[in-house]
Amino acid sequence: MNAPHPPKVAGIDPAVPTPAHTVAPAPPSPGADPSPDAAPALPVPTGPAPGTLLQDRLAGWVSDLTTLHELTERLSRTDALEPALQELLRAGSALVGARRGLVVLEPGDGLGPCTTIGLGLGRADLGHIETVPRGSLHGALLDTGAGTETVHADLFAEDGLDPRHREVAARLGYAASYALPLVTESAARLGAVVWLYDEPAEPDERRRHLIGLYVRHAAEHLARLLEVERTRARLATIAEELLPSRLPRVAGVQLAARHRTGPRGGGDWYDALPLPDAALGLSVGSVTGSGPSAVAAMGRLRASLRAYAVMEGEDPVAVLSDLELLLRLTEPARSATALFAYCEPALRKITLAGAGHSPPLLIGERRTEFAETSVSAPLGMLACWEAPSVEIQAEAGETVLLYTDGLLHRTGDPMDRAFARLHAAAASIPRTLRRDPGAVADHVLHTVLPDGLDTADSEEDVILLAARFD
């Protein structure tokens, strides 16, 4: 492949067939007698009929616009960055006539996210391409965003090609490339997209026009998805920062937590707080609503509960009563569910109270059962507190599992079936996993929400807080 090759021009077959045209009139047969009144015969045209070229051109334009409309419609239906980038590569490869390609997402503002996705290229292939100096393949498009395209019609016949680029092209088996920048109308650079040809080739003028229109539309769509992705990431970061960065170490008990946040950010929380006299406070709860306001309300409510727990944690009813009063006075339009447990690990004794929250689950060798907590309305909806606290005596090796209602709601089942599914998942935990509260939480999470339901986008947050008593 070291010998120079004349560059090929990639063609595109029109999706709309060439229309049939009226043929020229046939000349009279040789044996026919001419009539004296007949008009003189006109010469038979030898070239295309008038208007044929215009009709062919119009048919081509209709075909191109139809194809472009279908491709942009498919792209617009994507609602996340990765599927959109994959669709961009597939549609672009059809438009430019290339079999392989890659798209590099590298926003010019430096805020990320940055990623590289390939079409017909494995992870090792992308790794090889990343070793090519940026300026040789598409680096100018990424570094400055200047220019409209980068064409290498015949890499092995090109003078001054970087040796590493030549080596990688030979190893991966591509002989030409065509690259375009991903730039929005506001001149914001998002990255670049490159298509690779197996043989020397380059797109013709028609293909370049179509791919240019498509990539401009794709860049605007990607910019919108990028903002959505960044907003989700910010909400997730804020929610995580408002929750414990690590769980405390308290003698006599092992702790583990699992948290799944919805795409809009939710108001579920958990907490584990060391208290005086070697005690431990555990809480889970959920604020109504979603989005930034719910996340902020969750942070305020959790911080207030910690303060009340330090002052009067041995009386869970008093803790939730104070929280109820605070919520009613400061945020009368919002309600919340909560469960607070005062644990004495040395005695394996748990005193808890709940407000509209699902009961905790006791998981041990000899029993798997829900704790019988008193029924109470959610916080913010109580006229007065009437539900007393309950005491639970855990046995050595038993795990108390606290959770939020999102674990049940994500199943899509009625609540009675969801509770039955949760109980069955807890009862099926293998003995080898029961000594590790993290393994207990993982088993319950993946059994109750199989097939990726635990990580799928949902309006419901999911929290599990497991405490195993020695």
Side-chain angles (χ1 to χ4, degrees), residues 370 408 411-425 448:
F370 292 101
L408 307 173
T411 64
D413 294 336
M415 290 302 288
D416 56 341
R417 293 185 182 179
F419 275 114
R421 178 183 290 192
L422 173 58
H423 185 276
V448 175

Side-chain angles (χ1 to χ4, degrees), residues 97-175:
R99 186 173 61 90
R100 293 177 292 176
L102 68 150
V103 57
V104 181
L105 186 66
E106 191 175 300
D109 56 14
L111 299 178
C114 297
T115 186
T116 300
I117 294 179
L119 174 68
L121 298 170
R123 296 182 62 181
D125 298 334
L126 294 175
H128 287 307
I129 292 176
E130 287 178 355
T131 64
V132 175
R134 291 173 65 97
S136 181
L137 185 59
H138 55 276
L141 303 179
L142 287 174
D143 293 334
T144 65
T148 57
E149 62 182 18
T150 299
V151 184
H152 296 285
D154 190 346
L155 289 169
F156 299 99
E158 188 175 311
D159 295 334
L161 185 68
D162 186 274
R164 179 58 184 167
H165 192 180
R166 191 185 306 274
E167 178 184 348
V168 170
R171 174 176 295 184
L172 300 184
Y174 68 88

Side-chain angles (χ1 to χ4, degrees), residues 457-468:
D457 285 351
S458 172
E459 296 296 323
E460 300 287 345
D461 286 7
V462 176
I463 282 180
L464 291 90
L465 178 59
R468 182 184 184 274

Side-chain angles (χ1 to χ4, degrees), residues 142-335:
L142 287 174
D143 293 334
T144 65
T148 57
E149 62 182 18
T150 299
V151 184
H152 296 285
D154 190 346
L155 289 169
F156 299 99
E158 188 175 311
D159 295 334
L161 185 68
D162 186 274
R164 179 58 184 167
H165 192 180
R166 191 185 306 274
E167 178 184 348
V168 170
R171 174 176 295 184
L172 300 184
Y174 68 88
S177 67
Y178 180 70
L180 287 173
L182 292 171
V183 182
T184 64
E185 291 185 359
S186 60
R189 175 177 58 81
L190 303 180
V193 58
V194 187
W195 289 278
L196 306 175
Y197 296 92
D198 297 340
E199 297 180 357
E202 63 178 305
D204 57 22
E205 183 180 355
R206 178 187 175 201
R207 282 183 180 250
R208 292 187 185 187
H209 177 67
L210 287 177
I211 193 61
L213 294 174
Y214 180 77
V215 167
R216 283 196 291 273
H217 172 82
E220 299 296 334
H221 182 64
L222 290 173
R224 291 189 290 270
L225 293 180
L226 183 63
E227 285 303 314
V228 172
E229 189 80 10
R230 288 176 174 178
T231 301
R232 289 180 177 179
R234 293 188 190 106
L235 283 175
T237 300
I238 293 173
E240 292 296 333
E241 290 297 325
L242 290 174
L243 296 175
S245 58
R246 60 183 180 86
L247 296 173
R249 294 185 178 182
V250 178
V253 64
Q254 303 175 50
L255 301 173
R258 298 294 183 265
H259 183 209
R260 300 291 186 269
T261 304
R264 296 179 58 191
D268 288 15
W269 85 82
Y270 68 94
D271 205 352
L273 179 66
L275 297 175
D277 302 324
L280 174 69
L282 300 177
S283 70
V284 292
S286 177
V287 175
T288 55
S290 60
S293 62
V295 173
M298 175 268 287
R300 292 191 294 269
L301 211 60
R302 173 179 169 266
S304 301
L305 189 147
R306 289 173 68 91
Y308 298 144
V310 170
M311 293 186 293
E312 47 193 3
E314 67 278 0
D315 186 358
V317 169
V319 172
L320 293 187
S321 296
D322 292 342
L323 200 63
E324 149 73 17
L325 179 60
L326 176 72
L327 187 66
R328 184 151 34 95
L329 293 177
T330 60
E331 301 188 52
R334 195 181 296 276
S335 64

Side-chain angles (χ1 to χ4, degrees), residues 9-10 29 38 42 68 107 125 127 139 175 200-201 220 229 323 377 401:
V9 176
S29 58
L42 297 176
L68 198 61
D125 298 334
E220 299 296 334
E229 189 80 10
L323 200 63
L401 183 67

